Structure formats: C-alpha cells, structure tokens
Amino acid sequence: MIFAASAATALVVVLGLKRIVRTARHRRRPRSPVAAVPGLDVSPLRFWLTILGTAVLSYVLIYALTGLPVVSAVPAVVLATLPRAYLARRRAERLARVQESWPDGIRDVLALVRSGASLPNAIEDLSLFGPEPLRDAFQGFAVYARSLGVVKALEMVKQDLADPTSDRVFEVL
C-alpha cells in the first residue's frame, strides 16, 4: 500500500516536472516584464512550481499526521487548486481596474492627439501620466515601441492584458 502511494506520488511529480520543462522550452518570443500568465507577473514555471510545491507539501504533512496515503492525497489535490484560484481572482481584480480606467485613458490620448502630439507619443504619455492601472499595463510600451515598432508594442501590451475590452481599444489604436 505504501509502495503504491509512493509510486503514485513519484508519477505526479515526474509528470509535473515534465510539463514545467515543456512549458519552459516553448517560451520562444521575448517576454515582457508584465505577465507571462496573462494579466499577472507570474511566470509559467513559478506558477506550476507553486502548485506542485503546495500539493507535495500538503501531502507530506498530512501523511506524517495520519500515515494514510489515500487520506493524504485528497487534501493535497484540493490544496493544489488554491494557487490557481488565488491568481485567477487577482487577475480578475486587475482587469476590472483596467477596464474602469479605459475611459480616462482614452480621453487623455485624444486630448494629446488634438493638441498636436503623435499617437505613439500620446500612448507613451499614457504609460507615464495616465490612470494608475493603465500605467502598469503600458510600463514597457516606450521601450518596445522604440525597438520593435508601435504596432508590435501595442500587440505585446494587448497579449499581456488578455482582456476582450482592452482588445477592442487596441484594435482602434
């Protein structure tokens, strides 16, 4: 019985590590400092290591208390879902703040364009002087726009936000 539980635990660890390595290999494009998991500043490796660490730690602690592998596995699986739920909640809160700040941000960009600034300069000013949630979202825009071009920089910010409302604004820009 203990051998079967140990083998199952080892299998879960190996499969988790295999997925982490595969995720790390598929990171080909340059990553922005903002979000690797859309909308958050957590890399996929850190995300999966947190889930795996939570599961293994809770399994070991409960197994040490009870001595029963099956009883230890159930809470480990449940506790492994908590980091994902926490990050999903943080992402939803961040996107709600970004969506609420878009009217002010668009107003700022329009005012700058009407006063004679170019659109790239207006968007760059948005990253410096716009509403706080948009400042965070556009923090790397100036560097990306100078090195990759304005369109590519907007696409990178769009990918980092991964929000349907923001996508429509980016299409207009």
Side-chain angles (χ1 to χ4, degrees):
M1 181 78 166
I2 292 175
F3 176 74
S6 299
T9 303
L11 180 65
V12 168
V13 169
V14 167
L15 291 176
L17 289 174
K18 183 178 177 183
R19 182 172 182 140
I20 290 169
V21 169
R22 189 178 338 126
T23 302
R25 282 187 192 155
H26 291 294
R27 292 176 49 187
R28 298 270 191 257
R29 72 172 180 87
R31 303 302 285 183
S32 72
V34 182
V37 173
L40 296 175
D41 56 350
V42 178
S43 69
L45 178 64
R46 185 173 172 196
F47 176 73
W48 287 109
L49 284 177
T50 302
I51 289 175
L52 187 64
T54 304
V56 169
L57 182 65
S58 61
Y59 179 84
V60 168
L61 287 175
I62 296 171
Y63 183 75
L65 291 173
T66 64
L68 301 170
V70 174
V71 172
S72 303
V74 173
V77 170
V78 171
L79 289 173
T81 63
L82 291 180
R84 182 181 179 122
Y86 171 74
L87 289 175
R89 183 172 152 220
R90 271 190 46 203
R91 180 180 185 277
E93 290 170 355
R94 178 177 181 245
L95 290 178
R97 287 192 308 269
V98 167
Q99 288 174 355
E100 290 171 2
S101 63
W102 269 122
D104 293 333
I106 292 171
R107 213 169 305 137
D108 292 346
V109 169
L110 286 175
L112 285 169
V113 169
R114 285 181 187 148
S115 67
S118 66
L119 183 60
N121 288 340
I123 295 172
E124 189 173 330
D125 281 354
L126 181 65
S127 70
L128 299 172
F129 306 112
E132 187 66 35
L134 291 180
R135 270 189 253 163
D136 294 340
F138 281 88
Q139 68 184 355
F141 176 79
V143 174
Y144 299 144
R146 287 188 187 106
S147 60
L148 301 173
V150 175
V151 175
K152 184 66 174 167
L154 282 173
E155 288 175 5
M156 291 179 74
V157 174
K158 177 181 170 181
Q159 276 183 331
D160 288 341
L161 284 175
D163 172 43
T165 302
S166 299
D167 290 348
R168 288 188 291 263
V169 173
F170 286 118
E171 293 301 320
V172 170
L173 291 175

